[in-house]
């Protein structure tokens, strides 16, 4: 047998569950979004990411995003699918790669919304330059005043 206080808590919990369950009938259900993994893009390339959404009520989703420069947009490509398109420029990058935290939100215009967050790392065009130098070269300044080397930059 439950103590009187535990029975009261159980009755309250059951009452809340029942009233919440009954109150949801006919209400708008929020959309759901599939997960998106972290992305990598180079300056001069275009990042394209499809975002799959579902809305149990069949509502058309409206897309918004934060975290990228003003050229980034999410276009609807179906009633519940969006496509992120972004071409970063040099301001969106740095030598080691600049990480942007992106949040995309889908709303059904009836109060339901869902959001996903992922990261986009932007590297400079063609990546970070590397210098290939010949190995084993020693300069003896007592004998030579200068040195001629072939250096390859990639």
């Amino acid at each position: 047998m439950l103590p009187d206080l535990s029975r009261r808590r159980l009755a309250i919990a059951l009452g809340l569950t029942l009233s919440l369950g009954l109150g949801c009938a006919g209400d708008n259900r929020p959309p759901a979004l599939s997960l998106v993994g972290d992305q990598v893009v180079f300056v001069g390339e275009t990042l394209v990411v499809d975002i799959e959404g579902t809305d149990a009520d069949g509502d058309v989703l409206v897309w918004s995003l934060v975290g990228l420069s003003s050229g980034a947009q999410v276009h609807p490509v179906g009633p519940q699918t969006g496509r992120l398109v972004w071409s970063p420029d040099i301001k969106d990058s740095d030598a080691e790669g600049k990480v942007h935290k992106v949040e995309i939100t889908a709303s059904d215009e009836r109060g339901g919304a869902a959001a996903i967050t992922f990261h986009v790392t932007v590297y400079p065009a063609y990546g970070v330059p590397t210098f290939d130098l010949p190995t084993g070269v020693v300069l003896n300044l007592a004998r030579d005043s200068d040195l001629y080397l072939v250096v390859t930059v990639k």
Side-chain angles (χ1 to χ4, degrees), residues 34 46-47 83 93 95 112-115 117:
S34 61
T46 300
L47 176 68
R83 179 172 290 149
S93 175
T117 303

Side-chain angles (χ1 to χ4, degrees), residues 70-135:
S70 62
Q73 295 181 348
V74 179
H75 304 281
V77 292
Q80 297 182 355
T81 304
R83 179 172 290 149
L84 167 64
V85 179
W86 184 46
S87 296
D89 60 27
I90 196 65
K91 295 181 310 244
D92 301 310
S93 175
D94 60 33
E96 290 81 35
K98 186 173 184 180
V99 178
H100 301 265
K101 183 178 179 182
V102 180
E103 181 176 283
I104 295 179
T105 303
S107 63
D108 62 13
E109 294 191 309
R110 295 195 310 146
I116 55 169
T117 303
F118 58 95
H119 296 93
V120 175
T121 304
V122 180
Y123 290 101
Y126 310 113
V128 178
T130 59
F131 297 86
D132 289 337
L133 302 171
T135 58

Side-chain angles (χ1 to χ4, degrees), residues 134 137-141 144-150:
V137 176
V138 177
L139 175 62
N140 183 345
L141 292 175
D144 299 311
S145 60
D146 58 354
L147 176 65
Y148 175 78
L149 293 175
V150 176

